Amino acid sequence: MSGHTTLTVDLGERSYPIEIGRGLRHRPELFAPAVRGGQVVIVSNETVAPLYLEELRRTLSAWECHEVILPDGERFKTLETVSQVFDALLARRCERSVTLVALGGGVIGDITGFAAACYQRGVPFIQVPTTLLAQVDSSVGGKTGVNHPLGKNMIGAFHQPNAVIIDTETLGTLELRQLRAGLAEVIKYGLIRDPGFFSWLELNCAALLERDDDLLAEAIARSCRNKAAVVADDEREAGQRALLNLGHTFGHAIETAVGYGEWLHGEAVAVGTALAADLSVRLGWLQEGERQRILRLLAASGLPLAPPAAIAADEMLRLMALDKKVSAGQLRLVLLRSIGQAVVSADYASALLQETLLTACSGRQG
Ligand code: NAD
Ligand code: GLY
């Protein structure tokens, strides 16, 4: 695949495009339909701004353009940082018609989207995601928010962007560890609903890590197509959207336990995916051969398969109970019936979950 792909997240009047291609950050005509009013404010961080801010400012030069540069890191995904965005918007007398532009990874996207959801009760925003993880997942679907010391992503709002503009060229400056973490979310789509994509990833994983441009663009487009379909069917996560959280209940527990930012989100999700597969086998739902394929693909992507040594099984369980999918005190997990078919279920013996956690926590390397 080469060139420029446009997908749509179909949400009636709130539908929006996902533009995918090389060099799209230089294309004002892609931004224009999504900008409301005369002011734009680019929100970025200290790492991404030196790389891409000036170019984006040039692209947006038809509008009154300001910027807010935040500190970099998951540990800054807090209400205090969102407050810094509000301070900057108010100091610049930004009006209700201001459009925010999130330039960065998932942290910047989630913070900016949340600020946009709250500022003057809601202003438009555009996602310009620059990590693989943000390009395939967090920029699409309108989940925005910040962490709380007691739980990840616990404060937030649904607020859809007006456009997602994915410039695949920006992946050229991304650290390999971050690229690998993004692959965890790519693999997720294969596992929950697209078995053909999973097989494609088994064939192309090495080339993706070598940053083959066309293959990356194809992986991003196929991921976004899957995500757009899920979001269009279930915007507010009344049902199927919860499948996108495969591995996340385990993963969020890891992120909360080790401290936000020590483990990358995608790394924690990879371990969570391996644990979800383990529990699914113990339940007799997933074949062991399929679990082995999953572990092989995660390992080939350079992702961890076991929780960090610092966490005990009972601590994981305690933190998992804080998950947003807990309903009437029951912890619902995303589990696998096969590669390409996932279910959200509380219908498992808790002893089997404990076995999964104890086995993983005793067999790990550190
Ligand atoms: P991140 O935003 O922290 O970015 C990772 C690192 O890469 C940061 O240091 C960043 O500054 C740097 N970076 C970004 N783009 C770069 C580039 N092109 N070149 C060089 N460096 C670059 O992490 P992430 O993995 O993008 O996102 C993780 C966050 O996304 C988590 O907070 C997670 O909860 C959230 N998330 C949200 C959703 C959602 O639906 N809203 C979905 C998945 C994940
Ligand atoms: N990343 C999970 C979701 O968007 O629902």
Side-chain angles (χ1 to χ4, degrees):
M1 190 184 92
S2 56
H4 174 174
T5 302
T6 303
L7 307 173
T8 303
V9 183
D10 191 357
L11 291 169
E13 284 180 353
R14 290 175 298 110
S15 296
Y16 55 92
I18 307 172
E19 310 284 0
I20 304 164
R22 273 187 83 77
L24 301 194
R25 68 190 183 284
H26 301 295
R27 305 263 302 270
E29 76 278 13
L30 298 179
F31 289 82
V35 175
R36 310 273 183 271
Q39 293 175 309
V40 292
V41 175
I42 303 171
V43 182
S44 191
N45 72 24
E46 288 161 348
T47 305
V48 178
L51 297 168
Y52 302 113
L53 179 69
E54 270 321 303
E55 291 170 341
L56 193 57
R57 280 188 68 100
R58 271 199 292 283
T59 303
L60 299 175
S61 59
W63 295 275
E64 178 192 322
C65 183
H66 300 283
E67 70 219 27
V68 184
I69 308 303
L70 300 173
D72 182 9
E74 181 76 32
R75 72 198 165 88
F76 295 107
K77 193 174 138 180
T78 60
L79 279 175
E80 289 73 26
T81 307
V82 175
S83 233
Q84 283 182 39
V85 179
F86 296 148
D87 292 348
L89 296 176
L90 289 165
R92 282 162 194 139
R93 298 180 186 284
C94 291
E95 297 168 4
R96 216 169 178 185
S97 59
V98 66
T99 301
L100 306 193
V101 180
L103 173 68
V107 170
I108 285 294
D110 282 10
I111 291 172
T112 308
F114 188 49
C118 301
Y119 186 68
Q120 301 204 18
R121 300 200 182 87
V123 298
F125 82 114
I126 299 172
Q127 291 271 18
V128 184
T130 59
T131 62
L132 180 61
L133 185 139
Q135 295 182 351
V136 299
D137 191 354
S138 63
S139 63
V140 175
K143 279 191 182 176
T144 74
V146 295
N147 301 325
H148 186 278
L150 295 181
K152 194 167 152 61
N153 292 335
M154 280 292 164
I155 318 290
F158 283 99
H159 188 55
Q160 299 292 342
N162 278 10
V164 180
I165 299 178
I166 299 175
D167 185 342
T168 56
E169 211 167 48
T170 59
L171 297 181
T173 52
L174 191 66
E175 283 179 7
L176 182 59
R177 183 179 171 199
Q178 298 287 350
L179 195 72
R180 292 182 190 285
L183 276 180
E185 302 280 17
V186 174
I187 292 167
K188 170 182 83 180
Y189 296 111
L191 287 173
I192 63 170
R193 68 193 307 276
D194 192 347
F197 188 33
F198 187 91
S199 305
W200 184 90
L201 289 167
E202 289 178 307
L203 285 177
N204 292 299
C205 173
L208 289 170
L209 289 170
E210 295 289 322
R211 299 176 207 240
D212 180 295
D213 224 42
D214 288 348
L215 291 177
L216 273 173
E218 191 168 341
I220 293 164
R222 195 143 172 189
S223 299
C224 286
R225 204 168 275 126
N226 275 299
K227 177 128 191 199
V230 172
V231 170
D233 275 355
D234 179 21
E235 183 185 7
R236 294 279 172 141
E237 201 168 307
Q240 292 299 296
R241 184 164 179 172
L243 298 180
L244 294 171
N245 290 318
L246 174 66
H248 285 58
T249 304
F250 297 97
H252 287 167
I254 293 172
E255 287 181 90
T256 306
V258 296
Y260 300 130
E262 284 301 307
W263 269 49
L264 302 181
H265 177 72
E267 293 169 342
V269 166
V271 172
T273 302
L275 298 184
D278 181 279
L279 179 54
S280 304
V281 170
R282 284 176 202 276
L283 286 161
W285 294 359
L286 180 72
Q287 290 181 3
E288 173 60 16
E290 293 211 308
R291 183 179 82 97
Q292 290 300 333
R293 278 178 70 194
I294 295 166
L295 296 185
R296 273 198 299 276
L297 181 55
L298 292 171
S301 306
L303 289 162
L305 302 176
I311 314 179
D314 57 352
E315 172 74 347
M316 282 262 316
L317 201 55
R318 187 186 68 76
L319 290 168
M320 286 170 70
L322 291 173
D323 192 84
K324 289 195 282 305
K325 282 187 297 306
V326 170
S327 172
Q330 279 207 305
L331 178 60
R332 293 178 309 136
L333 291 172
V334 184
L335 297 168
L336 292 166
R337 292 273 182 195
S338 64
I339 288 176
Q341 200 197 351
V343 286
V344 183
S345 176
D347 187 18
Y348 55 84
S350 54
L352 291 182
L353 173 59
Q354 276 168 5
E355 270 179 30
T356 289
L357 293 173
L358 282 168
T359 309
C361 290
S362 60
R364 64 204 162 186
Q365 327 273 292

